[in-house]
Amino acid sequence: MTVGELSKKCGFVTVCMPEPDREVSGCYIGDLLSWVMGRAQSGNAWITIMSNVNIAAVASLTDVAVIILAEGVILDESVVAVASQKGINIVSSDVPAFETAMKLGGCV
């Protein structure tokens, strides 16, 4: 399933989606960026509550398909701009990470 399809089916709010046709091939949940760098896989949906600009760098490094911001996290426009420039898809969920993962699992 593509990021665009997944976002629509799960009811996530689009923050930025420069590459809606990226295929999602799994999920990783984590907030410790160094941990995510070593464990998230290319194509994963990454669920986090982190909101600083470093999420764009980690997403680019790991080649995740989309960052899903849990708990209604709102990004600063400068982070959104960097993510858009780097081709990083970001969507938002208003529920905690566990419930976001459950929602994601129900959509696939």
Side-chain angles (χ1 to χ4, degrees):
M1 180 175 292
T2 68
V3 171
E5 294 167 339
L6 185 71
S7 179
K8 184 176 180 181
K9 190 171 183 182
C10 291
F12 297 136
V13 175
T14 299
V15 176
C16 68
M17 198 173 301
E19 296 187 15
D21 295 328
R22 284 283 314 264
E23 288 289 326
V24 177
S25 60
C27 177
Y28 190 81
I29 304 170
D31 298 319
L32 184 59
L33 299 180
S34 60
W35 198 264
V36 175
M37 284 190 304
R39 289 167 176 77
Q41 302 294 310
S42 177
N44 280 172
W46 170 27
I47 301 172
T48 186
I49 59 166
M50 296 299 297
S51 62
N52 64 47
V53 71
N54 293 331
I55 63 172
V58 171
S60 181
L61 179 68
T62 59
D63 193 37
V64 296
V66 61
I67 299 171
I68 303 174
L69 301 171
E71 298 192 32
V73 168
I74 297 173
L75 294 181
D76 186 76
E77 283 302 315
S78 63
V79 178
V80 175
V82 169
S84 292
Q85 187 178 44
K86 290 182 175 280
I88 307 296
N89 297 311
I90 303 177
V91 298
S92 180
S93 172
D94 60 350
V95 297
F98 176 77
E99 292 175 40
T100 299
M102 294 295 291
K103 187 184 279 193
L104 185 67
C107 294
V108 205

